[in-house]
Amino acid sequence: MSITLYDLAGADPALRFSPYCWRIRFALAHKGLPVETVPWRFTETDVIAFSGQGKVPVIRDGDTVVSDSWSIAGYLEDRYPEPTLFGGATGKAHALFVNAWADGVLVGGIARFIMRDLFDIIDPKDRDYFRSSREARFGTTLEAVQDGRENRLAAFRDLLVPLRLVLRRQDWLGGTAPSYADHIVAGTLMWPRCASRFALLEDSDIVAGWLDRMLDQYGGLGRAATRAA
Amino acid sequence: MSITLYDLAGADPALRFSPYCWRIRFALAHKGLPVETVPWRFTETDVIAFSGQGKVPVIRDGDTVVSDSWSIAGYLEDRYPEPTLFGGATGKAHALFVNAWADGVLVGGIARFIMRDLFDIIDPKDRDYFRSSREARFGTTLEAVQDGRENRLAAFRDLLVPLRLVLRRQDWLGGTAPSYADHIVAGTLMWPRCASRFALLEDSDIVAGWLDRMLDQYGGLGRAATRAA
C-alpha cells in the first residue's frame, strides 16, 4: 500500500511548492517508496485534523500518521532502513544542523524574494489567510517584503557560502551520494523554483550545478515538477 | 609515542587560541590520544616547513605529518577509529557542513569582535605580520575592525540560530554524545574565550549552556585553558 502524503498545492493542484513537503518527496523517492500525494491548501486544516496539528507535510502509512518533516524523515528511516537517509545516529544528529540552517537561515532568506509571487500561485481560497498571516509575520505588506529583491541578491547568495565550501570538497552534502541533507537543501530550493520565476542562483554557482544534479535524481523527480507560469 | 601538535600560542606560550588547533585538541582528547603540543607563532613558518605549508594545526604522528584541521580529523578517524569522531562516512560528510558553516560564517563573525584584542596577546615578533596581513584582509585598521562591537552583538548572536535549533532537540551536535561537530564549534568558540575578555554569548543562551558542558568534557580540557588577562 502506498504512503499518502498531504502536499501543499497551489490554485493549480499540480503545482507543489512547500519546502518541507519537497524534503519528504525526495526522501520517499530515495527509499523507493511509492507515494500517493493529496493536494492540500493552507486553509484545509480540517482535512489533516487527524494528525493533531494544522500543517503539512503529513503522511499516513497504514495506521501510522506522522507530521513535521524532520519527524517524518526519522520515521521513514526507522521503518524502512535501506537505503539510508542518514547513515546512522551520528549522521542523523549532524543532519539536524543542516535542517536547522535550512529552516533558520535559508527559508527566511528565500522568503523575501518570493512572498508576493506565492500570493499569485496559491488557491484563491487561501489568499486572505496567506496575506494576513504573512503580513503579520513580516510586519509589512507582501509587496513590500518582496520589493527591491534584485538589490538583495548578492546578500542572499552570500548566505550560501557553507554549501559552496562543502560542494568544493564532495559531490553531495551526503558525501559520495545524496542523503537527507541533500533532500533538506534541495527541497528548500524547490520552493522558489516551483513558486516563482525569479532566478536566485547564478548558473555558474557550484550550488546551481549541484541542484541541477539533484533535479535529475530519482528519475528526474525535481526536474519534472510543475512550475509557476 | 605521543602525537605532536604545533599549536598557535601567544606571547605567553601557555595561551593557545587558534580555532583550528582547538578543534584538534578536542578531537585528540575525544580519542584519548596523548599529545605533546609545541607552542608556535605565526612567523615561525620555517618550524613547520616540513609540512609543506605555513599554517597550524600541523600534527606529526610517528612518520606521518598532516596539516589542515579537517584533514587531521579525517586522519585521526582513519588511523584510530574508536571512539569515533564522525559515526561513519555519511556522518563525516554531514559534519563537513558544520565545518563549512564554522569557517564561512562563525569565524568571520567572531573576528570582528576580537581582532584588536588578538594583537594584544600575540607574540611581539608576530605583530607586524599580524597587523599588515589582517588589515589587508579587512581593508581597514585592527582598531576599526573591532570598533563599536557592543552594537554588533545582537547581529552576531542571530548567526547562532542554527545551533540553537539543534540544541533544543539534542544535547550535543553529535546527538547523545559529543562528536567532531561539537569539536568544530566549541573549538571555534575557544578562540574568543582564550584571546579576549569580551563576552560574545549571553549566559542564558542555550549555546552558552552547551559550551559550558563542552568545557567540562575530557577532564575539563577547555575549562583549564589559559585565557587572556
Side-chain angles (χ1 to χ4, degrees), chain B residues 110-127:
Chain B
I110 293 170
R112 290 169 177 75
F113 289 86
I114 64 169
M115 210 32 71
R116 182 59 180 76
D117 292 346
L118 284 162
F119 188 77
D120 285 335
I121 59 142
I122 59 176
D123 196 276
K125 74 179 177 184
D126 282 350
R127 286 191 184 146

Side-chain angles (χ1 to χ4, degrees), chain A residues 68 70-71 85-87 89-98 100-101 103-105 161-163 165-166 169-170 173-175 179 181, chain B residues 68 70-71 85-87 89-91 93-98 100-101 103-105 161-163 165-166 169-170 173-175 179 181:
Chain A
D68 175 74
W70 181 255
S71 298
L85 292 170
F86 296 116
T90 307
K92 183 179 176 186
H94 292 173
L96 184 55
F97 187 84
V98 180
W101 177 80
D103 292 355
V105 177
V161 161
L163 291 175
L165 294 177
V166 169
R169 289 223 190 210
Q170 59 195 29
L173 302 183
S179 73
Chain B
D68 176 74
W70 181 255
S71 299
L85 292 171
F86 296 116
T90 306
H94 293 172
L96 184 55
F97 186 84
V98 180
W101 177 81
D103 291 355
V105 177
V161 162
L163 291 176
L165 294 177
V166 169
R169 291 222 189 211
Q170 60 196 28
L173 301 183
S179 72

